[in-house]
Amino acid sequence: MTGHLRLVLGDQLTATLSALRDLDPARDVVLLAEVRAETEYVPHHPQKIALVLSAMRHFAADLRARGVTVRYVALDEPANSGSLLGEVGRAVADFMPEAVVITEPGEWRLFAEMQRWGKHLGLPVEIRTDDRFLTSRADFAAWMTGRKAPRMEHFYREIRRRTGLLMTADGKPKGGAWNYDADNRKALKPGTPLPPTPLFPPDRTTQAVLDLVGTRFGHHFGRLEGFNWPVTRIDALGLLDHFIRAGLPAFGDYQDAMQDGEPFLFHSRLSAALNIGLLEPLEVCRAAENAYRHGLAPLNAAEGFIRQIIGWREYVRGIYWHHMPDYAALNALGADRSLPAFYWDGETDMNCLSQAIGQTRDHAYAHHIQRLMVTGNFALLLGVNPREVGEWYLAVYADAYEWVEMPNTHGMALFADGGVMASKPYAASGKYIDRMSNHCANCRYDVKSAEGEHACPFNALYWDFIARNEDRLARNPRMAMIYRSFAKMAPARRDALRARAQTLRDQYAPRCRRPRR
Ligand code: FAD
Ligand code: DLZ
Ligand code: SF4
């Protein structure tokens, strides 16, 4: 063979991928490989593994139908070496290509490995930019240059201008404001009708994968039964269409709401399909913009949704690549506790956590506020080591890849990066959860009290967090008000809260035996 070997990873399932762009079907071979190293580097939720493997198999079938030569290595093939390099090496030996072509991977660990592949394989390995994002790593680095306190909002405005999304002809934001977040914090009234969840029944390919995953990964945290993810581009477009019609109109209003037994509310569930490449960010945003133009969704909804994608999603990726590999080791608050065991089984009588973790177990999904203000907030208040928290988030969500998970976890939820992502920690007492959900009404704890064994654990832990981090946070202007309240607190109350918090911390999350960085 004189052509190229083109490797496509499990989260690169996009027909226009840079590694496939100049594909010559007469000379080239495309390699997709299911490998142990990728299925086991964290204990992924079984639904996440099934989603990736089934989507890979469908993508390979589509390529073959277009006349492309595909080398597909299934996980249970006896000759499977277990690693991506091993499979590239086997394909190189069989096809003898003149070069290997890859699109840059989404995670640092793999990117670092791939730098050595050329030497190892003894032939050129070309690593191309992943231009499925609106901002390349180089563009983001240029945008960061000279900025003392870079913030998502400024970056977002630039991308709005560049793409023209929700912009007027004379370069102004539609409606006169860039951001309608203030309108997007409504709690859900009981009885508000919710959109139905579209169903994606497994076809034969998916069923075969479900059988394989059930056998090999059934012991991981998470239910495989009820698997309901789009695994093809056509299904993903169906989910997008459903969301635009049924979810988007109220997406803005209820973006931050939470409710017992209702995992999806008005959220799109599109992140998993976006992150493996079945959808592209711009087409998703154009669909939301069109709905606004045609009067099918209000501006606060369309703007709020588009901001999540061209703003947050692009921004976190930029931050990840800009600060890695050092970012992974940051622990600005010196958090040194272990992750409570209930994160891995949902067995807790704190209703908000039980709901968020239970939904995660059943659907490999929780929406943003659950991840940030329930599971993330609790880990922040307890002082759990960022590395353990990060491993949990990377494992349990169907959409989890380090480029998006880590800035959200280390940065947004835990403030481990000392303020790179957020200007202050997202620490909150039970009051926030009570305002945004019906969880507290159905909980055995009393959200209104902070002391005593029936008091909501978030409350004492919140004040303990404030006290423990006074040296690090009191000078932050955005924390000034809370530290003024803390200063006025009677010493006896401070002592009582500290004692209650200490009991909770020791009960849920003893100090890590081996302190980690
Ligand atoms: P919707 O609420 O419908 O939002 C629309 C889209 O906006 C999402 O599909 C997603 O692509 C994008 N988006 C929204 N918020 C963010 C954000 N903060 N960062 C990046 N993209 C965003 N998202 C992931 O895709 N993978 C992760 O591993 C991940 N880990 C997270 C960990 C923590 C601690 C937190 C606080 C957030 C995390 N997020 C992650 C962001 C967000 O929670 C999910 O993108 C969202 O819940 C996915 O559900 P959805 O598709 O229904 O989103
Ligand atoms: C997540 C995942 C899983 C579970 N399995 C595979 C696999 O077997 N083969 C593969 O090519 N990719 C897989 N992936 C996605 C990779 O982990 C992902 O490409 C890297 O983490 C880089 O983002
Ligand atoms: Fe969660 Fe506290 Fe509310 Fe219970 S009372 S649901 S623990 S915030």
Side-chain angles (χ1 to χ4, degrees):
M1 173 183 158
T2 52
H4 294 101
L5 178 70
R6 297 168 189 272
L7 174 67
V8 174
L9 301 173
D11 55 353
Q12 297 182 338
L13 308 178
T14 314
T16 54
L17 189 75
S18 58
L20 297 177
R21 203 146 294 155
D22 48 354
L23 172 95
D24 179 351
R27 300 167 70 227
D28 296 349
V29 172
V30 174
L31 169 67
L32 289 106
E34 302 173 0
V35 293
R36 214 180 49 242
E38 295 306 307
T39 55
E40 291 180 7
Y41 71 92
V42 286
H44 301 287
H45 194 297
Q47 289 193 29
K48 177 182 177 187
I49 303 176
L51 165 65
V52 172
L53 302 195
S54 175
M56 285 173 72
R57 290 181 185 197
H58 282 95
F59 187 79
D62 286 350
L63 286 176
R64 282 192 179 123
R66 285 173 33 208
V68 175
T69 306
V70 177
R71 156 92 150 217
Y72 195 93
V73 185
L75 195 63
D76 50 0
E77 251 175 54
N80 191 324
S81 65
S83 76
L84 287 168
L85 177 58
E87 286 316 300
V88 172
R90 281 206 312 133
V92 165
D94 290 349
F95 297 107
M96 296 200 290
E98 61 196 37
V100 175
V101 179
I102 313 174
T103 292
E104 62 192 353
E107 301 196 345
W108 176 271
R109 71 184 165 88
L110 214 46
F111 183 70
E113 248 185 59
M114 284 176 177
Q115 307 305 307
R116 299 187 290 272
W117 282 13
K119 201 164 165 207
H120 192 93
L121 295 164
L123 84 172
V125 173
E126 185 191 346
I127 303 181
R128 295 183 177 171
T129 297
D130 189 349
D131 52 17
R132 296 173 303 164
F133 293 88
L134 300 171
T135 313
S136 69
R137 288 165 53 181
D139 283 351
F140 192 84
W143 182 83
M144 289 285 276
T145 307
R147 281 175 201 271
K148 285 210 181 84
R151 287 288 165 245
M152 191 287 290
E153 187 63 30
H154 305 127
F155 171 82
Y156 165 59
R157 291 178 191 187
E158 190 156 319
I159 308 289
R160 282 273 294 279
R161 285 193 196 95
R162 224 173 71 198
T163 56
L165 280 162
L166 296 179
M167 298 297 285
T168 61
D170 58 350
K172 302 251 166 40
K174 279 262 158 78
W178 288 101
N179 179 320
Y180 292 88
D181 232 6
D183 300 343
N184 290 1
R185 291 177 191 141
K186 295 195 179 78
L188 207 60
K189 290 202 182 73
T192 307
L194 297 172
T197 306
L199 298 178
F200 301 101
D203 62 6
R204 276 171 53 186
T205 303
T206 301
Q207 193 52 57
V209 168
L210 291 174
D211 294 343
L212 173 71
V213 170
T215 309
R216 287 191 58 152
F217 306 103
H219 60 288
H220 287 190
F221 166 80
R223 272 184 60 195
L224 189 54
E225 301 76 41
F227 175 91
N228 187 29
W229 293 100
V231 292
T232 62
R233 174 154 168 83
I234 289 176
D235 283 352
L237 286 169
L239 181 60
L240 171 61
D241 184 56
H242 168 86
F243 167 70
I244 296 290
R245 282 182 295 106
L248 183 64
F251 174 85
D253 287 354
Y254 301 119
Q255 205 177 330
D256 291 0
M258 296 175 279
Q259 196 165 76
D260 277 8
E262 293 294 349
F264 309 126
L265 302 172
F266 295 93
H267 291 274
S268 69
R269 271 203 329 141
L270 287 170
S271 53
L274 270 165
N275 294 353
I276 59 174
L278 300 182
L279 295 172
E280 297 221 45
L282 204 50
E283 70 181 332
V284 170
C285 294
R286 295 266 180 241
E289 184 188 39
N290 257 337
Y292 163 68
R293 279 227 185 95
H294 290 97
L296 302 174
L299 185 55
N300 71 308
E303 188 282 318
F305 180 72
I306 287 172
R307 176 161 26 90
Q308 305 312 313
I309 296 181
I310 63 167
W312 283 115
R313 185 171 186 271
E314 295 282 326
Y315 189 71
V316 298
R317 177 175 184 263
I319 291 289
Y320 176 78
W321 286 107
H322 195 73
H323 291 283
M324 281 299 276
D326 300 343
Y327 198 77
L330 298 178
N331 187 358
L333 301 181
D336 64 354
R337 299 269 155 165
S338 296
L339 191 72
F342 66 71
Y343 275 68
W344 292 109
D345 59 23
E347 297 291 320
T348 167
D349 48 8
M350 288 180 277
N351 189 34
C352 52
L353 281 154
S354 157
Q355 291 287 327
I357 297 168
Q359 290 167 19
T360 302
R361 179 195 58 223
D362 293 350
H363 304 290
Y365 179 88
H367 72 66
H368 184 69
I369 291 300
Q370 294 175 302
R371 297 188 206 194
L372 184 64
M373 300 309 293
V374 179
T375 44
N377 183 28
F378 196 73
L380 169 73
L381 300 183
L382 274 180
V384 180
N385 178 276
R387 206 177 288 262
E388 278 193 39
V389 183
E391 275 168 16
W392 185 79
Y393 278 97
L394 194 56
V396 303
Y397 291 112
D399 58 21
Y401 296 90
E402 203 178 76
W403 64 266
V404 52
E405 171 276 321
M406 187 177 282
N408 271 299
T409 305
H410 273 54
M412 292 263 270
L414 301 181
F415 205 71
D417 65 8
V420 172
M421 277 288 293
S423 53
K424 76 175 188 55
Y426 279 87
S429 67
K431 201 167 158 185
Y432 174 86
I433 294 172
D434 194 29
R435 193 165 65 239
M436 297 314 303
S437 76
N438 65 351
H439 296 330
C440 304
N442 303 319
C443 183
R444 92 153 177 85
Y445 292 106
D446 177 7
V447 71
K448 296 216 159 49
S449 56
E451 295 166 45
E453 64 172 302
H454 298 296
C456 167
F458 281 76
N459 294 341
L461 288 171
Y462 174 75
W463 286 112
D464 180 61
F465 172 85
I466 294 296
R468 277 189 293 117
N469 291 293
E470 191 166 9
D471 287 352
R472 298 179 177 106
L473 300 175
R475 281 186 306 279
N476 180 330
R478 297 200 60 206
M479 300 292 287
M481 209 162 82
I482 203 68
Y483 276 102
R484 275 199 299 275
S485 304
F486 182 60
K488 286 185 206 145
M489 198 180 271
R493 178 154 163 81
R494 279 194 198 194
D495 290 347
L497 289 174
R498 189 185 305 123
R500 163 87 171 135
Q502 190 57 49
T503 310
L504 291 165
R505 270 157 52 89
D506 289 342
Q507 171 191 339
Y508 289 126
R511 204 176 288 279
C512 296
R513 244 177 278 129
R514 185 165 46 86
R516 303 209 193 157
R517 275 187 305 156

